[in-house]
Amino acid sequence: MKWWQTAVVYQIYPRSFQDSNGDGIGDLQGIISRLDYLEQLGINAIWLSPVYQSPNDDNGYDISDYEAIMEEFGTMADMDQLIQEADKRHIKIVMDLVVNHTSDEHRWFIEARKGKDNPYRDYYVWRDPVAGDVPNGLRSTFSGSAWEFDEESGQYYLHLFSKKQPDLNWENEQVRQEVWKMMNFWLEKGIGGFRLDVIDLVGKLPDQSITGNGPKLHEYLQEMNRNTFGNYDVMTVGETWGATPEIAKLYSDPKRDELSMVFQFEHIGLDQQPGKDKWDLQPLQVNELKQVLAKWQTSLGNEGWNSLFWNNHDLPRIVSRWGNDQQYHVESAKMFAILLHLMKGTPYIYQGEEIGMTNRPINDISEVADIESINMYAERLAAGYQKEEIIAFINAKGRDNARTPMQWDETENAGFTTGKPWLYVNDNYKKINVSQNLTDNNSIFNCYKTLIQLRKDNPIVVWGEFELVTDVPEPIFAYLRHHEGISWLVVANFGEVEQQLNVSNYTTYTKLLISNYSKIQTNLSELILQPYETFAVQL
Ligand code: GLC
Ligand code: CA
């Protein structure tokens, strides 16, 4: 058994969590000042989005010095203090590790750019033009070609993200050595592990237009494990957009000595038109969601470990996305919480999710800070889309939805800052905030807190076998957990109309564990579920 198998992780996006000095930007002292709140919630680890030195082209995911702290966030002394203060509260700090690329302002790239003979040249991926044009058709996730021309040397460099995020050349052994050294610098500080940013890209073969899941990917990860965290009791979670259960086992089978677990995104893509971009939406089919999540719950077995999440800093807020953030705000936010937290795996809570924070709609592109949305807007405008249409894409899927400041209380700027926040605060902060949640026993926060406690108290939540209940109408997502002769039933109604549950096999239960409506009938087979009604019972 590993500590991270029983843990609940909380993701902090430092820029938007808590400002301590009135400059409108969240910082490390701000996080320290809120650790008691996180202890109260009951989480065991914090995944800290990048806090390293960065010109912030992609909010810290473009790192110019891995061993320095971004000035706006504080100092290395603040970072050490955060690790210590968290430790006092039994909370580990998991660092974001962004090593597919650096910033173009990293000293390696500044050197590399100086010319073909520079010793750092081969730290990055350079190619000659082909027929006076880009080497091939590889595209950047942030729109346009993934190749940027460098006038000086007449070559192109690869950037799978922004131009200011040149890709590192992992085939160069020296690059890998530098990465291991840097990781050890952090491990020696006593951190709790790493979240590995777009790690499935590091084995890329750009000449063959292969980006994800390249042939040497797992070799590199085993080398990483041996040279860095293999000897530490830490957790590692890889961001792997292209993972299937078979691929996830390659990463997380304990026998292979790679990572603890990965983030898979199959469920996240279900409201996207097949073969199209993230912006091209289609309605979610609940049956598909059930199939996908059930597949992940059952297929890893002992050869892997799941992560469980609805949200992160790249995704819209789940309560706005697949729930109802108006009429059934509390009910649907709790539905997603209960459904996910009673599954098998390590749950992740993204800041503000525990109080039901919602998307923040915009009317004009000038309100957007995120490079991905800004670039897409320009690209699609040029391609002939209407402005209104593109704004609707951004309101549905734009990353700023998750990045608005944390809503702490009813005071100006939601208690996030005394200055001008770097990104607008959601208008609904007077209704949706931490202080309100803490005073209300039936709040979303208290639902999350109860779920975390249920996980701590009941091995069935961590270890139980998962079984999907299939004889229920489509809008109902129901599953069982079984462990040492005990069974739990979890039922969620995704619909906005009443639904008869109709389970024939389980008519009674012995204990109500959690629910989002005040009471439920004792006879389960006749039970009528209200909109978003969700509960868990011991049979
Ligand atoms: C990951 C991060 C995202 C970032 C990208 C490039 O997907 O989660 O925020 O923009 O990698 O580093
Ligand atoms: Ca600040």
Side-chain angles (χ1 to χ4, degrees):
M1 188 192 103
K2 299 281 190 188
W3 66 266
W4 42 263
Q5 290 178 297
T6 62
V8 176
V9 183
Y10 187 91
Q11 184 192 350
I12 289 183
Y13 195 68
R15 214 173 178 74
S16 298
F17 193 61
Q18 176 69 64
D19 178 21
S20 72
N21 63 351
D23 67 355
I25 297 172
D27 46 53
L28 295 176
Q29 285 301 331
I31 297 173
I32 292 170
S33 73
R34 294 297 186 178
L35 286 173
D36 288 341
Y37 166 72
L38 297 177
E39 185 182 26
Q40 190 181 346
L41 178 58
I43 55 110
N44 310 95
I46 292 170
W47 152 23
L48 196 60
S49 274
V51 294
Y52 316 96
Q53 185 179 297
S54 164
N56 282 311
D57 190 49
D58 186 21
N59 285 359
Y61 284 89
D62 49 319
I63 296 169
S64 53
D65 187 343
Y66 292 97
E67 297 181 16
I69 298 295
M70 192 189 302
E71 231 169 277
E72 294 163 327
F73 288 174
T75 62
M76 194 56 87
D78 295 323
M79 187 65 220
D80 292 335
Q81 190 190 343
L82 172 60
I83 295 171
Q84 274 170 22
E85 289 296 323
D87 187 59
K88 284 186 198 158
R89 294 162 180 85
H90 311 288
I91 295 173
K92 297 177 194 278
I93 302 289
V94 174
M95 298 297 281
D96 215 315
L97 184 75
V98 189
V99 287
N100 173 68
H101 44 266
T102 68
S103 162
D104 66 339
E105 297 181 33
H106 193 288
R107 81 183 157 80
W108 301 336
F109 194 73
I110 293 173
E111 285 299 314
R113 217 172 204 173
K114 288 183 179 162
K116 291 184 185 169
D117 299 331
N118 189 283
Y120 288 91
R121 183 73 171 181
D122 195 40
Y123 272 41
Y124 296 87
V125 183
W126 300 90
R127 294 290 183 270
D128 289 326
V130 172
D133 203 349
V134 289
N136 61 29
L138 275 180
R139 312 254 319 147
S140 152
T141 302
F142 296 159
S143 303
S145 170
W147 297 102
E148 178 70 7
F149 191 61
D150 173 55
E151 295 280 347
E152 205 120 316
S153 62
Q155 285 192 312
Y156 286 88
Y157 67 84
L158 181 72
H159 61 91
L160 292 177
F161 295 89
S162 100
K163 286 174 199 169
K164 287 182 65 63
Q165 291 166 300
D167 278 56
L168 283 166
N169 175 17
W170 273 65
E171 284 176 37
N172 182 342
E173 148 115 53
Q174 244 174 303
V175 166
R176 303 201 301 279
Q177 292 298 337
E178 296 263 23
V179 171
W180 310 158
K181 206 174 96 206
M182 174 273 282
M183 290 173 73
N184 286 323
F185 166 86
W186 284 100
L187 286 164
E188 280 155 26
K189 283 188 179 290
I191 59 163
F194 294 107
R195 174 266 185 187
L196 296 88
D197 190 68
V198 291
I199 198 65
D200 56 350
L201 301 179
V202 301
K204 68 183 81 74
L205 293 178
D207 302 308
Q208 296 166 48
S209 294
I210 293 172
T211 53
N213 297 307
K216 287 202 172 158
L217 170 61
H218 295 284
E219 200 180 296
Y220 293 154
L221 287 175
Q222 287 170 8
E223 186 182 322
M224 176 191 280
N225 181 305
R226 274 197 306 279
N227 285 282
T228 65
F229 51 75
N231 295 321
Y232 290 82
D233 184 20
V234 297
M235 63 165 272
T236 49
V237 51
E239 186 199 19
T240 59
W241 282 84
T244 60
E246 287 315 306
I247 293 176
K249 287 185 201 173
L250 296 178
Y251 290 106
S252 64
D253 184 343
K255 287 196 294 290
R256 291 175 51 86
D257 288 329
E258 293 188 18
L259 305 177
S260 312
M261 67 190 110
V262 294
F263 290 125
Q264 63 82 17
F265 290 87
E266 216 181 325
H267 61 303
I268 292 303
L270 291 176
D271 59 1
Q272 179 177 328
Q273 295 168 36
K276 296 276 203 70
D277 286 350
K278 71 178 254 185
W279 311 104
D280 302 309
L281 295 178
Q282 65 178 17
L284 172 74
Q285 304 298 325
V286 178
N287 270 344
E288 284 186 5
L289 183 67
K290 293 188 227 178
Q291 291 313 322
V292 167
L293 289 180
K295 177 180 75 182
W296 279 92
Q297 283 290 296
T298 51
S299 54
L300 296 187
N302 293 324
E303 299 161 275
W305 188 256
N306 268 307
S307 66
L308 305 170
F309 71 98
W310 298 118
N311 292 284
N312 65 34
H313 65 293
D314 296 327
L315 302 174
R317 296 281 184 180
I318 194 65
V319 66
S320 304
R321 184 180 191 177
W322 293 342
N324 181 330
D325 63 11
Q326 302 292 319
Q327 198 185 345
Y328 298 110
H329 174 245
V330 173
E331 291 83 354
S332 59
K334 289 181 181 174
M335 176 188 81
F336 288 108
I338 297 169
L339 193 66
L340 196 78
H341 279 251
L342 297 181
M343 286 185 183
K344 186 173 184 176
T346 301
Y348 290 74
I349 301 168
Y350 176 68
Q351 67 182 43
E353 175 185 341
E354 79 280 14
I355 56 167
M357 277 179 63
T358 66
N359 282 354
R360 199 287 192 180
I362 52 144
N363 298 308
D364 190 83
I365 189 69
S366 61
E367 297 169 65
V368 177
D370 177 29
I371 181 171
E372 183 189 46
S373 294
I374 292 171
N375 289 1
M376 180 279 288
Y377 183 86
E379 185 172 73
R380 292 208 164 183
L381 210 55
Y385 286 82
Q386 297 299 306
K387 266 188 191 169
E388 297 68 32
E389 217 178 338
I390 312 178
I391 295 294
F393 295 148
I394 294 174
N395 283 339
K397 295 293 282 297
R399 303 194 299 180
D400 282 353
N401 280 312
R403 299 177 179 184
T404 61
M406 181 72 180
Q407 294 163 210
W408 293 103
D409 56 40
E410 282 181 27
T411 64
E412 212 185 336
N413 298 318
F416 164 69
T417 180
T418 54
K420 183 174 179 298
W422 74 276
L423 186 66
Y424 41 71
V425 174
N426 196 312
D427 294 335
N428 61 22
Y429 74 90
K430 291 206 169 142
K431 248 181 52 202
I432 300 175
N433 61 59
V434 167
S435 108
Q436 185 277 330
N437 266 259
L438 293 180
T439 55
D440 172 4
N441 282 335
N442 280 319
S443 66
I444 300 167
F445 175 90
N446 278 307
C447 177
Y448 274 88
K449 191 175 163 182
T450 304
L451 286 164
I452 295 172
Q453 196 59 45
L454 278 173
R455 178 170 289 267
K456 284 187 188 153
D457 296 343
N458 299 278
I460 187 172
V461 182
V462 178
W463 308 111
E465 292 296 313
F466 176 97
E467 183 193 340
L468 185 69
V469 177
T470 50
D471 61 346
V472 287
E474 163 145 24
I476 297 178
F477 192 149
Y479 64 86
L480 294 154
R481 301 290 306 276
H482 307 287
H483 186 65
E484 296 181 340
I486 298 173
S487 291
W488 284 17
L489 171 69
V490 180
V491 173
N493 175 19
F494 269 73
E496 296 202 349
V497 291
E498 291 181 356
Q499 283 288 338
Q500 169 123 25
L501 179 55
N502 255 342
V503 280
S504 40
N505 293 345
Y506 340 96
T507 49
T508 55
Y509 61 88
T510 57
K511 191 157 80 178
L512 176 62
L513 300 156
I514 191 164
S515 68
N516 64 350
Y517 278 77
S518 53
K519 51 172 182 276
I520 67 166
Q521 289 159 253
T522 34
N523 188 340
L524 294 181
S525 61
E526 285 169 16
L527 196 129
I528 307 286
L529 292 167
Q530 301 302 306
Y532 297 106
E533 181 163 359
T534 304
F535 62 83
V537 290
Q538 182 159 321
L539 295 174

